[in-house]
Structure formats: structure tokens, C-alpha cells
Amino acid sequence: MASIICGSIAYDTIMTFEGRFQDQILPEQIHILNVAFLVPSMRREFGGCAGNIGYNLQLLGGKPLIMATVGADADPYLSHLERLGISRQFIKKLDQAFTAQAMITTDLANNQITAFHPGAMNDSHTNRVGDCMAHLSNNDRHIGIVAPDGRIGMWEHCHQFSQAKIPFIFDPGQGLPMFNGQELLELVDLATYVAVNDYEGEMLCQRTGLSLHELANRLEALIVTKGAQGAQIHAQGKVIDIPAVPAEKIADPTGCGDAFRGGLLYGLEKGLDWETTGRLASLMGSIKIAHQGPQNHQPTRAEISDRFKAAFGTAITL
């Protein structure tokens, strides 16, 4: 089984502010907010939701097929994917645009302020799930994920997966505010699974007017991550609590949610039960947060298996 990963490919410019944002912002003056943060360190990383999810799935030994749009400046990223052994067959290069760019400033409390230029991501709808499927064997089963991307692309790819009868995860993430309640409910009903963090889950409930329990009843599974509190998987009429795995250190939260989703896809590819899948996803998030940048952790599958057994007391074969 392969995973078709629809979402953004982006360059992340990550800066560190050696203080706390809250100490620099005066609540009584927020109507005339004008702040500047000195960022002594800065680095450029390979990022974007589709790139990050694919990277983590590849680490686990899964089969990521990234479907995304990039700009004229994409060659370093495309070469990076080739070195990892991730196919670029379904990544479309648009020479008239920049690759999406995220400018992320993190403070010492791991709060983040992000400015994002979508660039080529706005044309993600020019990729079609059917074109991807035409190049794949009909004998293989596939799973999809629609991660944050251009609005039209997210909308159309959800419908295309549904029409092709390919089970998929709807992962609205930062793209959730682009859709109203009725639109979100339609996308939930098309999806097989939905993955959100706790803040996004609350927003999803507010916009659709449904509780998490009611949303879960429309899906095979609803996955809600809760940071250091772990995660909950609502499936088959019950709630499975997934513990967080303590990290070796807290270096950088960027891409932790994508690492978690890479673990989800691997579990779905391999037909693992939800408790094992959730625990593996939690471990991947823990491994990621101990490293700067979304794609710099490099554990072997044997190391991931060893850490899984150490964290949960049971073995897993990757």
C-alpha cells in the first residue's frame, strides 16, 4: 500500500527569539501593535506539510507519494527528496511562482509567530488525484491524506479521493479557517478519518455545530492531538487515550504534527490497530521535537523500534 500525500512543500526560514513574546507585547497597546524581535540565529529548512509527512513516513519504511506544487526555486528541495528516495513524479514545478515560504519565529517558551507566502501552493488544484492513480498499479491499495494546501486544492482533492473510493485523512490544520461550517461538514463526510490538534478540534466543533463525539460518529476515526498531554483517537464508539512520549529534549516544535501524521499513515498502510498506530505516531512526534527543523531527525527503523519498546513495553516490527 502507498500513501498519496496532498499538501504543501515549503521552505521554512526559522528564527529564534531569545526571550518571550509575552514580555514584549503590552496588552493595553495591542490596538497599535508595533514590535520587533532580535533573532540572532536563523536557518533555512525543508518543510511544508506534505514534505514533512512524507519524510517521516519514509523513515518508518512506508511508501510516500507526494502530490504538490512548487516554484522555480524548488531544485534544492527536489534534489533533497531524491536523496531520500522519495519520488518527485507527482510534484509539479511552476516556473512563474516561488515555492511556498514560511517565516517562523520561535521564542524560549516554544511559542511561534509565522508569516506564510503560499506561492505555487495556490495552484495545487492543478494536480489531480486521477492523474496520480493513472500511473499506479490497479492491484495496489492506496490511502490518501489532504493536508494544509491551497484552498481549492484541498477542496478538490478531498472530493477526488472520495470519488476514486480511496480512504483518506482530512487534516485541515492551518487551512481550517479557509472553510465555513457547511464546507467543513461536507469535507468531514467525504473523509474516512480526520486529524486535528485540540485547538483545531474546538474550531471544527464551533464551525460545524457538532461535538467531537458527533463528528467521530461520521468517520471511521477522529484523531485529536494534545501536545504534551498526548492524543485521543475516537474510533468504533470508544475513545483511545494515547500517551505522550517524553522527549530527550525540547529543541523545536516545528513539524511535530506532521511527524505524528507520518506515523498515522504508516499504521494505516500496515493495518495496525489504533492503539499501536497512535503510540507510534506519538513516538514520531517525540523524536522530531528533539531536533531543530522538520526534517533533520534521522533515526533508523531499528532505533524507532527500540524506542517504541522502551516507551510502551511492547515490540513493534517496522
Side-chain angles (χ1 to χ4, degrees):
M1 179 183 283
S3 295
I4 302 171
I5 303 171
C6 300
S8 62
I9 280 182
Y11 291 113
D12 290 342
T13 299
I14 301 173
M15 298 158 281
T16 301
F17 170 56
E18 296 179 349
R20 288 174 169 77
F21 297 140
Q22 67 182 36
D23 298 332
Q24 306 298 316
I25 298 173
L26 301 175
E28 66 275 12
Q29 297 295 318
I30 201 165
H31 62 290
I32 53 169
L33 187 64
N34 185 357
V35 295
F37 302 105
L38 178 66
V39 287
S41 64
M42 183 179 77
R43 66 190 190 279
R44 197 184 199 203
E45 304 282 3
F46 299 116
C49 294
N52 296 341
I53 294 169
Y55 178 85
N56 285 278
L57 182 56
Q58 183 80 355
L59 285 177
L60 289 164
K63 297 181 179 179
L65 297 172
I66 296 174
M67 193 169 78
T69 45
V70 295
D73 55 344
D75 285 334
Y77 205 135
L78 298 177
S79 297
H80 165 69
L81 294 176
E82 287 183 346
R83 287 193 299 271
L84 296 170
I86 298 176
S87 173
R88 52 183 283 184
Q89 182 177 2
F90 307 114
I91 300 174
K92 182 179 291 188
K93 188 175 180 182
L94 305 174
D95 289 332
Q96 74 278 14
F98 287 107
T99 301
Q101 313 269 335
M103 311 294 180
I104 304 166
T105 303
T106 303
D107 74 0
L108 293 182
N110 282 322
N111 298 305
Q112 292 184 323
I113 295 176
T114 301
F116 187 75
H117 170 67
M121 195 184 80
N122 278 335
D123 292 310
S124 61
H125 57 281
T126 60
N127 280 326
R128 299 185 60 81
V129 171
D131 295 338
C132 182
M133 294 301 299
H135 290 83
L136 300 175
S137 170
N138 291 329
N139 296 324
D140 290 337
R141 294 185 304 121
H142 305 292
I143 188 167
I145 184 169
V146 177
D149 208 352
R151 183 188 187 281
I152 300 174
M154 292 180 71
W155 178 264
E156 293 190 356
H157 294 154
C158 284
H159 284 80
Q160 290 163 16
F161 276 129
S162 178
Q163 290 163 7
K165 301 188 184 308
I166 298 172
F168 74 97
I169 301 171
F170 177 43
D171 170 26
Q174 306 98 314
L176 194 152
M178 296 189 295
F179 302 98
N180 63 35
Q182 184 177 355
E183 291 168 336
L184 287 168
L185 196 56
E186 180 172 336
L187 297 179
V188 167
D189 285 340
L190 292 173
T192 318
Y193 322 97
V194 167
V196 290
N197 63 29
D198 47 357
Y199 180 85
E200 294 156 359
E202 179 62 28
M203 183 181 293
L204 184 61
C205 290
Q206 289 183 4
R207 294 210 169 187
T208 61
L210 299 178
S211 66
L212 289 177
H213 176 73
E214 290 169 325
L215 289 166
N217 285 340
R218 306 170 87 107
L219 300 156
E220 289 193 20
L222 170 65
I223 302 98
V224 183
T225 61
K226 299 186 174 185
Q229 283 70 52
Q232 289 186 324
I233 299 177
H234 303 249
Q236 300 168 338
K238 60 182 180 180
V239 180
I240 303 168
D241 289 314
I242 304 297
V245 178
E248 293 179 346
K249 62 179 179 179
I250 308 297
D252 180 8
T254 309
C256 286
D258 296 330
F260 188 99
R261 282 146 181 78
L264 288 180
L265 285 175
Y266 182 84
L268 290 168
E269 280 190 7
K270 300 301 180 182
L272 303 179
D273 62 75
W274 278 115
E275 184 174 31
T276 303
T277 296
R279 290 182 169 194
L280 179 60
S282 179
L283 174 62
M284 294 305 292
S286 172
I287 292 171
K288 204 271 28 116
I289 203 171
H291 297 78
Q292 294 281 2
Q295 297 182 30
N296 291 323
H297 51 299
Q298 300 176 346
T300 65
R301 277 178 277 172
E303 289 169 341
I304 296 171
S305 295
D306 289 345
R307 292 190 61 172
F308 187 94
K309 186 172 183 179
F312 302 112
T314 56
I316 187 171
T317 302
L318 301 176

